[in-house]
């Protein structure tokens, strides 16, 4: 293994599951010659962003990149060095003994099979959300992690953000009372999320088309399916698995939830009727969660509109939690508290558990306060990758582990399934199965 026993230097607050899930600081040191070697499997936009963020964590080295498209491999060498190992076959990455961990950022239908092979090969896994494309894939993923003993973290990066951690503590303090409603909305102007122009060099000579398809239905080469795969149910669940899962991950962390009891979703293809997608461009999802730990039984409302050029909302970075005494607007680096009665500021003392993180809150009125991240905060994406790397180095259990990942992916997949069935679905979050 390329990992040494040394650990990272001067860290932010991070999540831990040592015993009970909690927020804690870890301060350790690292040898300048010690690295965790990583590889990227799937160099699209998210995979590239993940890799740059992972490399910003001290003591991380990129060894290899896999992608099915020649140009992306060429770009990888231009971005990260000519010595980089590149391949179109992810199995060549998994065979390398000098790679400790992989980032999986492929289309959704490849997440689970590659993750299982990677864990079986002894690699720690950072896998983009949703970690499963079908509900019945979850148990095999969980079992593979248990058997291998490697660490697994889902790439729902916003859940680790300082704003989410502060919100979790404030909810536990009861500052807004029992939670009853959570609202998250995603909007995008026409064309922003559906624009597609095939590169001039896109062909079966430059793209490994059959490998991209995998277990999906066999169809002739179609670059639109390759580059805009989120539009198609054979490779994705569209809005639900791409966007809803972000808020669901944050909710599960903040509320210590395991899953909803019932899911209902409606929507359709309202605008992009050009035949270049079979997943909705508008979705409204509703999720009923039971009371857990006396924090409140609540309904989640998630909406997405790919043809809204006015609202400018993005739920993974800004959503609202409503309770009987007030509300929290939760962002990655900012939390806004509003209450129906004057706030007892002693309740803010619980945020000291964050140590480095939130500034003294700005008082707007006795019933409204704004909490900002301290200057220099590096963001939820950095925190999430730091937690993964530090977990590997220090053998620290991860909050966003494989069970968390499956439990947050499941309601997103149920949301899409409800849309297809045009009916509500009852869910057993403990047994990970639909109630008949």
């Amino acid at each position: 293994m390329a990992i040494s026993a040394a650990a990272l230097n001067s860290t932010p607050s991070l999540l831990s599951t040592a015993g009970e899930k909690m927020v804690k600081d870890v301060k350790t040191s690292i040898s300048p010659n010690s690295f965790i070697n990583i590889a990227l499997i799937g160099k699209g936009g998210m995979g590239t962003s993940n890799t740059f963020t992972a490399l910003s964590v001290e003591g991380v080295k990129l060894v290899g990149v896999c992608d099915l498209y020649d140009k992306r491999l060429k770009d990888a060498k231009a971005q990260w060095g000519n010595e980089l190992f590149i391949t179109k076959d992810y199995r060549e990455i998994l065979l390398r003994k000098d790679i400790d961990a992989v980032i999986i950022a492929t289309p959704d239908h490849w997440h689970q099979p590659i993750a299982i092979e990677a864990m079986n090969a002894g690699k720690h896994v950072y896998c983009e959300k949703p970690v499963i494309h079908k509900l019945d894939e979850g148990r095999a993923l969980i079992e593979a992690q248990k058997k291998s003993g490697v660490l697994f973290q889902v790439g729902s990066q916003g859940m680790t953000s300082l704003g989410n951690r502060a919100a979790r503590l404030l909810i536990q303090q009861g500052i807004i009372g029992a939670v009853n409603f959570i609202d998250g909305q995603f909007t995008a102007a026409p064309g922003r999320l559906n624009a597609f122009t095939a590169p001039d060099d896109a062909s079966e000579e430059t793209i490994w088309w059959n490998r991209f398809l995998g277990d999906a239905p066999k169809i002739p080469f179609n670059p639109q399916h390759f580059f805009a795969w989120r539009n198609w149910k054979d490779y994705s669940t569209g809005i639900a698995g791409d966007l809803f899962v972000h808020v669901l991950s944050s909710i599960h962390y903040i509320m210590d939830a395991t899953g909803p009891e019932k899911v209902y979703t409606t929507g359709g293809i309202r605008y992009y009727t050009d035949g270049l997608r079979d997943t909705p461009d508008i979705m409204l999802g509703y999720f009923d969660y039971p009371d857990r730990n006396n924090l409140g039984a609540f309904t989640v409302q998630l909406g997405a509109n790919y043809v809204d050029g006015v609202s400018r909302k993005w739920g993974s970075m800004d959503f609202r939690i409503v309770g009987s005494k007030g509300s929290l607007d939760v962002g990655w680096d900012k939390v806004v508290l509003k209450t129906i009665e004057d706030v007892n500021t002693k309740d803010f003392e619980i945020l000291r558990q964050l140590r480095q993180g939130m500034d003294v809150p700005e008082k707007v009125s006795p019933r409204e306060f704004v909490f900002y991240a301290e200057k220099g905060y590096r963001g939820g994406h950095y925190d999430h990758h730091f937690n993964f790397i530090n977990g590997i180095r220090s053998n620290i259990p991860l909050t966003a582990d494989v069970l968390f990942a499956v439990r947050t992916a499941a309601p997103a997949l149920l949301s899409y399934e409800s849309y297809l069935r045009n009916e509500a679905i009852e869910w057993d979050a403990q047994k990970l199965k639909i109630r008949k």
Side-chain angles (χ1 to χ4, degrees), residues 7-260:
L8 289 176
N9 185 18
S10 63
T11 76
S13 301
L14 75 155
L15 306 172
S16 173
T17 52
E20 176 177 282
K21 288 183 182 178
M22 59 187 293
V23 179
K24 65 184 287 186
D25 282 276
V26 172
K27 296 192 181 204
T28 48
S29 61
I30 179 174
S31 164
N33 296 318
S34 171
F35 288 94
I36 288 181
N37 290 341
I38 66 170
L40 170 63
I41 301 174
K43 193 195 175 300
M46 199 65 237
T48 301
S49 177
N50 278 326
T51 302
F52 275 118
T53 304
L55 290 173
S56 73
V57 178
E58 186 177 358
V60 176
K61 180 180 180 181
L62 181 66
V63 173
V65 172
C66 169
D67 198 89
L68 303 181
Y69 177 31
D70 288 345
K71 183 179 184 302
R72 289 178 182 166
L73 295 177
K74 181 180 178 181
D75 290 345
K77 286 205 167 190
Q79 290 167 317
W80 296 309
N82 284 327
E83 72 282 1
L84 196 66
F85 174 73
I86 59 172
T87 178
K88 284 187 173 181
D89 190 345
Y90 70 87
R91 293 187 175 97
E92 292 188 347
I93 293 286
L94 302 184
L95 286 172
R96 289 185 64 109
K97 296 187 182 300
D98 60 342
I99 292 173
D100 303 310
V102 294
I103 295 171
I104 300 172
T106 62
D108 295 354
H109 70 304
W110 272 107
H111 286 176
Q112 189 253 26
I114 295 178
I116 288 176
E117 288 190 53
M119 290 188 287
N120 289 343
K123 312 302 183 188
H124 302 287
V125 171
Y126 181 105
C127 183
E128 268 303 313
K129 50 71 199 168
V131 296
I132 54 176
H133 183 228
K134 298 177 181 177
L135 285 169
D136 62 6
E137 294 177 343
R139 290 197 176 279
L141 195 66
I142 293 168
E143 289 304 315
Q145 190 279 325
K146 286 182 179 178
K147 182 177 178 180
S148 67
V150 299
L151 293 185
F152 181 105
Q153 177 158 295
V154 60
S156 287
Q157 61 271 18
M159 65 145 290
T160 312
S161 68
L162 187 56
N164 276 7
R165 286 181 271 144
R168 176 181 167 95
L169 292 172
L170 292 170
I171 292 291
Q172 291 174 345
Q173 187 69 11
I175 201 165
I176 65 169
V179 172
N180 54 68
F181 177 66
I182 300 177
D183 181 48
Q185 302 294 321
F186 297 85
T187 64
R192 180 182 161 210
L193 296 180
N194 205 66
F196 168 76
T197 302
D200 292 338
D201 68 342
S203 69
E204 289 192 82
E205 284 69 46
T206 60
I207 294 171
W208 191 357
W209 176 246
N210 285 334
R211 172 58 63 86
F212 164 77
L213 290 176
D215 291 335
K218 305 305 179 185
I219 61 173
F221 177 72
N222 186 326
Q224 199 269 349
H225 281 235
F226 181 83
F227 290 100
W229 54 266
R230 286 187 179 89
N231 290 3
W232 302 97
K233 64 183 179 183
D234 289 330
Y235 329 115
S236 169
T237 52
I239 285 170
D242 183 31
L243 302 180
F244 287 0
V245 69
H246 276 300
V247 186
L248 293 167
S249 296
S250 292
I251 291 168
H252 280 220
Y253 169 65
I254 292 169
M255 298 298 299
D256 196 22
T258 58

Side-chain angles (χ1 to χ4, degrees), residues 364-393:
V364 179
S365 77
R367 300 182 182 182
E368 182 174 349
F369 290 81
V370 184
F371 302 84
Y372 295 99
E374 289 179 356
K375 186 177 180 180
Y377 175 56
R378 300 181 71 171
H381 203 184
Y382 174 85
D383 284 354
H384 208 52
H385 280 278
F386 172 86
N387 289 352
F388 178 59
I389 297 301
N390 193 63
I392 296 171
R393 286 186 176 277

